[in-house]
Amino acid sequence: MISGTPSQLWLGVFVCVWLAAAAQADCIPPSSLQPATLESVVDGDTLRLTDGRLVRLIGVNTPEIGRDGAPHQPYAVAAARAVRQWLGKTVWLAPGHEPMDRYGRTLAAVYRDRDKKHLGEYLLQQGLGWQVSVPPNLRDVACLRAAELAARRSERGVWRMPEILRAKSLTPADAGFKRVTGRVTRVSPSRRALWIELDSALSLRLDKRDQVHFRGVDMQSLVGQELTVRGWLIYRDRHRAQYPAHMMVLRHPAMLETDEE
């Protein structure tokens, strides 16, 4: 039995529902897949095809390969190496409902040729990345969540020393994909979004278009509760004084974490 405040109850039930759905099967490919030829592996979550396209994996974010003198993030090289060793020359793509990102990359789930296994699922099982859920590309949310959970419980890869930042301790240098925890200090609506503040230091923006995924949740009941969220941190150096300098866009409940996991 799950007990606690209304917000804790909802988060716990949400996790249980996803795990029940995820336990049914691996990430099963759709009936229609597109063949492609791999030219190179840019990093763990980005592939270059021989036709010139860059493919960004749906549902997984891997550590960053260092560029322009920056160091590699832990497990970044291991993730890229794992992809090279696991995939063959021929790959199969399942493009997302949103087919391209703002950088012009093709958004797709990628499958191995010989057995149609899901690349994102494999990476998460090995602890070589984190699950991300960005609407409308949500087809494999449940099975990818289960894959990550298996690595998390076994402390594989990135889960050996999981880094979680405290919202009140964020600095201007904190940017990019992060996991952040804090106490919900305010929930306030605006014309276009709902804003959730952690430690009065991080604003989570929940746009109206994505609030459908949180249907039935009393967001005000989160005030006073500890929340851990993952996503891309933005530091706004010209923010208004009454708002936190750091912001993160929250698009789906799967980007939240709870103790029940």
Side-chain angles (χ1 to χ4, degrees):
M1 179 178 294
I2 301 173
S3 60
T5 66
S7 56
Q8 291 171 328
L9 279 170
W10 173 79
L11 289 172
V13 170
F14 170 77
V15 172
C16 292
V17 169
W18 275 121
L19 293 181
Q24 296 176 12
D26 296 334
C27 293
I28 300 172
S31 57
S32 177
L33 292 173
Q34 300 176 4
T37 304
L38 179 67
E39 178 179 289
S40 62
V41 175
V42 178
D43 56 29
D45 56 38
T46 308
L47 311 177
R48 187 181 301 278
L49 305 179
T50 56
D51 61 13
R53 284 183 294 170
L54 282 177
V55 175
R56 176 62 166 84
L57 302 187
I58 290 174
V60 60
N61 186 68
T62 61
E64 295 293 328
I65 294 286
R67 293 180 175 83
D68 300 324
H72 303 316
Q73 292 183 347
Y75 297 99
V77 173
R81 183 186 304 118
V83 174
R84 292 189 192 97
Q85 294 174 347
W86 194 78
L87 283 179
K89 196 68 174 175
T90 298
V91 298
W92 294 84
L93 309 181
H97 292 292
E98 183 177 47
M100 298 185 72
D101 67 9
R102 59 177 176 161
Y103 302 108
R105 298 177 297 186
T106 296
L107 297 172
V110 176
Y111 299 84
R112 186 163 62 176
D113 182 45
R114 62 185 173 89
D115 54 11
K116 302 302 185 292
K117 292 292 187 179
H118 191 293
L119 174 58
E121 181 181 29
Y122 168 74
L123 288 168
L124 293 176
Q125 288 171 340
Q126 303 307 308
L128 295 174
W130 303 270
Q131 182 198 14
V132 293
S133 300
V134 182
N137 296 334
L138 300 173
R139 182 181 184 275
D140 296 317
V141 169
C143 64
L144 292 179
R145 190 177 185 90
E148 180 191 273
L149 185 60
R152 186 173 177 176
R153 288 176 170 170
S154 299
E155 297 185 350
R156 288 194 290 270
V158 298
W159 301 104
R160 290 180 180 175
M161 297 181 64
E163 180 183 10
I164 303 181
L165 303 179
R166 185 76 201 188
K168 63 183 177 182
S169 300
L170 293 174
T171 71
D174 293 317
F177 184 84
K178 303 292 182 183
R179 297 167 64 230
V180 185
T181 191
R183 187 172 298 278
V184 178
T185 49
R186 184 167 71 167
V187 176
S188 56
S190 70
R191 187 164 57 90
R192 297 181 178 178
L194 186 71
W195 296 88
I196 304 166
E197 291 187 11
L198 301 186
D199 291 343
S200 300
L202 169 64
S203 291
L204 305 178
R205 178 186 172 111
L206 176 53
D207 289 330
K208 284 194 172 181
R209 63 176 176 173
D210 295 320
Q211 290 176 22
V212 62
H213 303 296
F214 295 79
R215 183 178 296 159
V217 181
D218 179 7
M219 302 304 285
Q220 289 291 341
S221 71
L222 292 174
V223 174
Q225 304 300 319
E226 288 285 327
L227 201 63
T228 299
V229 63
R230 62 181 65 182
W232 285 266
L233 268 181
I234 301 170
Y235 177 71
R236 303 174 289 176
D237 57 352
R238 295 184 180 180
H239 70 288
R240 297 178 184 176
Q242 68 267 37
Y243 297 114
H246 284 86
M247 184 185 78
M248 182 183 291
V249 177
L250 176 62
R251 301 205 57 191
H252 192 272
M255 301 293 272
L256 301 174
E257 300 179 19
T258 72
D259 292 338
E260 284 83 358
E261 294 175 290

